[in-house]
Amino acid sequence: QEQPVESGGTSVRPGESLRLSCAVSERLYSTTCMAWFRQVPGKDREGVAMICTRAGVTSYADSVKGRFTVSQDNAKNTVYLQMSGLKPEDTGTYYCAADKRAGDTWFHSSAYNSWGQGTQVTVSS
């Protein structure tokens, strides 16, 4: 079964930067949109950023606007999440989601058919 593969999670200090990567198959990459979600224990997955790879359209959660940037590399079928000015509240497991159903709201986890295993980001002094 096709599945996105995330990488790049690690522990950093507040204010530092980090880039996450999500590699997918060519088929998944060419579908509608991909997104990054994050989750902490006891809470629902939160939509962080979305990119529609064909149109280059992006959207962000209010909590990360101006600090996070989602981008794509068509040659590598890869989507990135560049995170700067990291805060302790950015800590969580970050998941890459692909194959968004048309018409569904991008920040709803139910909108996506394919998920990666997640990569841990910890922001702590």
Side-chain angles (χ1 to χ4, degrees):
Q1 184 177 353
E2 293 178 293
Q3 190 175 30
V5 178
E6 306 98 334
S7 62
T10 189
S11 296
V12 296
R13 297 186 183 278
E16 292 185 341
S17 298
L18 190 63
R19 189 178 79 162
L20 304 181
S21 300
C22 174
V24 296
S25 67
E26 185 174 357
R27 187 194 77 81
L28 281 182
Y29 189 80
S30 66
T31 58
T32 54
C33 306
M34 297 174 59
W36 287 97
F37 284 73
R38 64 187 179 191
Q39 188 172 27
V40 296
K43 292 190 176 181
D44 292 336
R45 287 186 186 183
E46 172 193 18
V48 174
M50 180 274 294
I51 185 166
C52 296
T53 53
R54 287 184 178 179
V57 174
T58 59
S59 291
Y60 297 92
D62 288 343
S63 58
V64 305
K65 280 182 181 176
R67 299 189 298 122
F68 290 13
T69 303
V70 61
S71 62
Q72 62 190 83
D73 185 332
N74 294 336
K76 297 181 178 180
N77 297 332
T78 298
V79 169
Y80 302 99
L81 184 67
Q82 179 68 46
M83 305 183 291
S84 60
L86 283 162
K87 305 175 182 180
E89 50 264 44
D90 294 318
T91 294
T93 302
Y94 282 69
Y95 295 91
C96 179
D99 196 12
K100 177 183 172 296
R101 286 189 285 277
D104 285 13
T105 304
W106 77 264
F107 49 82
H108 288 168
S109 59
S110 59
Y112 301 85
N113 294 313
S114 185
W115 289 86
Q117 293 297 314
T119 186
Q120 178 67 33
V121 173
T122 302
V123 184
S124 174
S125 56

